[in-house]
């Protein structure tokens, strides 16, 4: 477990999970219906502010945002 | 021939997949006019069966009302069958503008524009009034037609948790620097039957300088003391910037919809909304029918009052029978069964008992929240509702769900 995984997981739970659904770092977020693709904009804004990065719109795809681990991999591409 | 066997096979496979997943929608043929009592052929080819309909959006029982039918006949005679043109070429009659003015008065707004349907109104309105410099912030349970409209609009889109006002405020703060912010909600949510907290939403929109959009399709004609809609119920008439609604539910049940609200926004739709520009508007006989509906509802609140009483009776009856319903006071009353197969089985058995009600399950509602959505009408008499309650009690007893908690039902039938 690293810090980024936990920070992103905590944000996803607070922002999107409305019941007692348990989340792992590999839970499918968008294909699993936890995060709808419309709501990704908040997640993108959160990541950009938190890590002081700019994620190009064409990289912020439903596939790239589909699990905590995939999001971490995306963020690491842009963190200096 | 481009439609090869391979092509056919692709679609056959997709359709078979829908059937095996239990997602294949099958129509039931109604041989009578829409009403509380209907005659149904189901499955296709089966003998006709007389059933009580408790799943129509015919909230005010006006779909086959003799005065509305007569007005539509007269409209057909005086204004013809169709216009063969879009509005701005040669498709606007005097009665189209009359109806727009009547809707404006009924809803207490500044102006109104008709659309072929509310689906079209929602598909066209956002693109017509917002640009990429703006943001749309919508409730996560808004109707599919709004979602489609949002997809067609270049403005940024964000969502807030269903009816969560703190979350909405966070989003208004997050997007505060946008040129325009529009908060988007249903007035009554069609699957749960709950209402948007419009008093609080108006307060937040005023605080953050945001526009407020409400789709009142499941409200117009009967929510609020004189049936104007959720904005009347929450005491915020005149404060909603855009209301969309349909004439395909409580307001006669035929077809058509509208955008009603601030006059500049309505004018933007008249200039730019694509479903308005590129499709014929509502046909003359339907326009004449809706005009009569608004005359009936403006003259008396008897029908919405009766609907309110029927709804109270129905909600109390289901609760006393030991069934779990979604709390609220609207005529949309979901009977919660949680398990998809159970919802389908209960629906089938109710039909055997002469009650027409449909099961809803994932993906129409969230996983584990399968239900029978019942909808009450002013066209129902108490004897209809008593018969339907008897059927629910009988079927509920068969499946041993009366008086059982959510947990107990899930333990027995699964999610």
């Amino acid at each position: 477990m690293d810090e980024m995984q936990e920070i992103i997981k905590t944000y996803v739970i607070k922002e999107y999970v409305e019941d007692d659904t348990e989340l792992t770092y590999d839970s499918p977020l968008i294909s699993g219906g936890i995060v709808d693709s419309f709501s990704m904009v908040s997640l993108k804004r959160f990541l950009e502010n938190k890590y002081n990065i700019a994620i190009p719109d064409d990289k912020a795809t439903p596939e790239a945002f589909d699990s905590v681990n995939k999001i971490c991999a995306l963020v690491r591409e842009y963190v200096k | 021939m481009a439609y090869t066997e391979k092509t056919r096979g692709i679609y056959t496979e997709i359709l078979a997949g829908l059937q095996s997943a239990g997602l294949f929608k099958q129509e039931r043929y109604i041989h009578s006019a829409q009403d509380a009592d209907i005659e149904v052929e189901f499955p296709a080819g089966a003998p006709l069966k007389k059933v009580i309909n408790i799943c129509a959006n015919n909230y005010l029982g006006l779909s086959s009302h003799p005065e509305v039918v007569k007005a539509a006949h007269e409209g057909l005679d005086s204004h013809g069958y169709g216009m063969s043109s879009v509005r701005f070429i040669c498709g606007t009659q005097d009665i189209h503008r009359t109806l727009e003015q009547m809707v404006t008065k009924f809803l207490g707004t500044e102006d109104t524009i008709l659309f072929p349907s509310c689906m079209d109104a929602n598909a066209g309105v956002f693109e017509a009034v917002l640009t990429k410099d703006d943001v749309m912030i919508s409730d996560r349970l808004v109707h599919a037609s709004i979602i489609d409209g949002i997809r067609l609009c270049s403005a940024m889109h964000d969502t807030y948790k269903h009816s969560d006002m703190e979350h909405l405020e966070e989003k208004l703060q997050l997007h505060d620097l946008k040129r325009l912010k529009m908060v988007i909600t249903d007035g009554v949510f069609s699957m749960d039957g709950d209402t948007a907290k419009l008093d609080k939403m108006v307060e937040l929109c005023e605080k953050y300088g945001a526009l407020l959009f409400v789709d009142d399709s499941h409200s117009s004609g009967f929510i609020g003391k004189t049936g104007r809609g959720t904005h009347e119920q929450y005491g915020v008439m005149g404060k909603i910037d855009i209301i969309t609604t349909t004439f395909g539910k409580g307001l006669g049940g035929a077809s058509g919809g509208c955008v009603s609200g601030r006059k500049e926004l309505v004018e933007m739709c008249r200039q730019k909304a694509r479903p308005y520009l590129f499709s014929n508007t509502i046909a003359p006989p339907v326009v004449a029918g809706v005009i009569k509906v608004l005359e009936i509802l403006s003259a008396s609140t008897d029908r919405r009052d009766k609907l309110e009483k029927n709804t109270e009776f129905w909600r109390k009856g289901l609760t006393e029978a030991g069934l779990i319903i979604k709390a609220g006071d609207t005529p949309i009353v979901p009977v919660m069964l949680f398990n998809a197969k159970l919802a389908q089985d209960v629906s089938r058995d109710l039909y055997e008992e002469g009650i027409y009600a449909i099961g809803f399950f994932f993906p129409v509602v969230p996983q584990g929240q399968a239900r029978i959505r019942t909808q009450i009408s002013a066209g129902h008499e108490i004897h209809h509702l008593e018969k339907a309650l008897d059927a629910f009690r009988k079927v509920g007893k068969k499946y041993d769900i009366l008086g059982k908690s959510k947990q107990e039902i899930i333990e027995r039938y699964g999610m």
Side-chain angles (χ1 to χ4, degrees):
Chain A
M1 183 179 80
D2 72 21
E3 194 189 8
M4 186 189 285
Q5 282 175 314
E6 202 51 32
I7 288 170
I8 293 172
K9 184 179 156 188
T10 303
Y11 175 82
V12 168
I13 289 171
K14 177 180 168 288
E15 174 70 19
Y16 302 108
V17 177
E18 296 189 42
D19 52 24
D20 49 7
T21 302
E22 288 193 14
L23 216 62
T24 70
Y25 298 139
D26 289 313
S27 297
L29 300 178
I30 291 167
S31 60
I34 295 167
V35 179
D36 71 75
S37 53
F38 277 158
S39 304
M40 281 168 40
V41 62
S42 298
L43 183 51
K44 181 171 179 284
R45 290 281 293 269
F46 167 77
L47 298 170
E48 290 177 333
N49 291 339
K50 179 80 189 167
Y51 296 103
N52 196 23
I53 56 175
I55 303 173
D57 285 345
D58 62 347
K59 297 288 180 188
T61 61
E63 294 74 28
F65 276 45
D66 204 30
S67 71
V68 171
N69 277 339
K70 287 180 181 169
I71 295 167
C72 288
L74 180 71
V75 170
R76 287 195 181 99
E77 282 182 40
Y78 296 94
V79 175
K80 287 170 188 166
Chain B
M1 188 173 71
Y3 200 72
T4 62
E5 282 309 306
K6 186 184 167 196
T7 310
R8 189 186 297 279
I10 289 170
Y11 291 111
T12 307
E13 197 176 317
I14 294 169
L15 292 167
L18 287 175
Q19 273 186 323
S20 63
L23 299 174
F24 194 84
K25 288 172 273 299
Q26 206 164 5
E27 292 171 348
R28 304 183 185 195
Y29 305 135
I30 298 174
H31 286 244
S32 54
Q34 183 64 282
D35 217 332
D37 296 295
I38 53 174
E39 283 190 294
V40 182
E41 173 195 342
F42 182 74
L48 297 190
K49 185 176 172 72
K50 288 186 177 176
V51 294
I52 296 170
N53 191 354
I54 55 167
C55 60
N57 299 314
N58 184 19
Y59 298 113
L60 292 164
L62 290 170
S63 301
S64 307
H65 189 282
E67 283 184 49
V68 177
V69 172
K70 181 166 174 279
H73 272 294
E74 288 168 357
L76 186 61
D77 291 338
S78 63
H79 285 73
Y81 171 68
M83 289 307 295
S84 307
S85 170
V86 300
R87 284 285 294 269
F88 76 95
I89 298 179
C90 57
T92 300
Q93 291 173 318
D94 57 337
I95 54 172
H96 291 111
R97 191 57 194 153
T98 300
L99 177 56
E100 287 175 340
Q101 287 163 343
M102 287 180 77
V103 171
T104 301
K105 190 174 173 203
F106 189 77
L107 297 179
T109 55
E110 295 177 9
D111 199 1
T112 300
I113 173 174
L114 303 179
F115 278 81
S117 68
C118 192
M119 172 90 203
D120 283 326
N122 288 340
V125 62
F126 303 112
E127 188 189 22
V129 303
L130 299 174
T131 71
K132 61 180 174 46
D133 298 325
D134 309 320
V135 65
M136 307 173 280
I137 307 173
S138 66
D139 188 288
R140 286 189 183 157
L141 291 190
V142 292
H143 189 259
S145 57
I146 292 178
I147 292 173
D148 285 357
I150 285 171
R151 285 191 174 128
L152 291 168
C153 178
S154 61
M156 177 187 273
H157 179 225
D158 202 352
T159 60
Y160 61 96
K161 292 179 187 175
H162 177 54
S163 277
D164 185 331
M165 294 297 105
E166 280 181 29
H167 201 216
L168 171 59
E169 184 161 17
E170 281 173 28
K171 293 302 175 82
L172 284 164
Q173 290 166 347
L174 180 69
H175 300 292
D176 202 31
L177 295 179
K178 286 285 180 182
R179 185 190 71 147
L180 291 170
K181 300 180 283 292
M182 184 183 284
V183 175
I184 299 166
T185 185
D186 288 4
V188 169
F189 290 89
S190 59
M191 281 299 144
D192 288 359
D194 57 329
T195 54
K197 298 163 184 157
L198 291 187
D199 49 350
K200 181 71 181 159
M201 295 179 78
V202 164
E203 205 179 300
L204 285 173
C205 286
E206 285 177 350
K207 183 175 173 184
Y208 292 95
L211 296 164
L212 182 53
F213 169 105
V214 179
D215 179 337
D216 238 0
S217 291
H218 285 277
S219 325
S220 296
F222 53 94
I223 298 290
K225 278 290 164 212
T226 63
R228 265 51 178 178
T230 47
H231 59 323
E232 183 185 26
Q233 186 178 34
Y234 281 91
V236 291
M237 281 188 80
K239 295 188 174 182
I240 310 298
D241 303 298
I242 298 177
I243 296 172
T244 59
T245 193
T246 180
F247 308 124
K249 295 186 168 69
L251 300 179
S255 66
C258 67
V259 170
S260 192
R262 306 295 178 197
K263 62 183 179 188
E264 296 80 9
L265 302 180
V266 169
E267 192 56 42
M268 288 294 283
C269 288
R270 224 176 272 284
Q271 301 305 319
K272 294 183 68 178
R274 297 172 70 82
Y276 169 85
L277 293 172
F278 300 115
S279 177
N280 287 9
T281 191
I282 310 170
V286 175
V287 174
V290 183
I291 287 173
K292 178 54 70 177
V293 164
L294 291 177
E295 284 172 3
I296 291 170
L297 299 181
S298 299
S300 161
T301 60
D302 286 356
R303 300 192 81 81
R304 60 84 53 209
D305 296 345
K306 184 180 175 193
L307 174 60
E308 193 170 66
K309 285 197 175 68
N310 281 353
T311 300
E312 279 172 27
F313 179 86
W314 181 246
R315 284 182 173 273
K316 188 164 175 275
L318 287 173
T319 306
E320 285 176 357
L323 290 154
I324 300 173
I325 61 170
K326 286 266 184 185
D329 56 5
T330 71
I332 298 174
V333 188
V335 178
M336 300 306 293
L337 298 167
F338 310 105
N339 174 277
K341 182 168 187 306
L342 179 63
Q344 288 167 291
D345 290 346
V346 168
S347 170
R348 186 197 59 229
D349 287 10
L350 286 171
Y351 188 74
E352 289 302 311
E353 297 296 323
I355 306 300
Y356 188 170
I358 296 292
F360 288 84
F361 41 90
F362 185 79
V364 179
V365 295
Q367 196 80 258
Q369 292 208 30
R371 66 196 62 185
I372 303 277
R373 183 179 70 170
T374 65
Q375 290 167 285
I376 299 310
S377 168
H380 288 132
E381 301 299 335
I382 291 300
H383 69 84
H384 290 120
L385 302 179
E386 281 174 339
K387 186 175 176 198
L389 283 173
D390 283 344
F392 264 103
R393 278 190 285 262
K394 186 175 174 186
V395 175
K397 193 174 174 190
K398 175 182 170 185
Y399 290 96
D400 194 24
I401 54 173
L402 301 180
K404 295 290 192 289
S405 67
K406 174 183 176 181
Q407 199 55 40
E408 286 170 320
I409 295 172
I410 290 171
E411 272 170 21
R412 174 153 185 186
Y413 291 97
M415 291 278 273

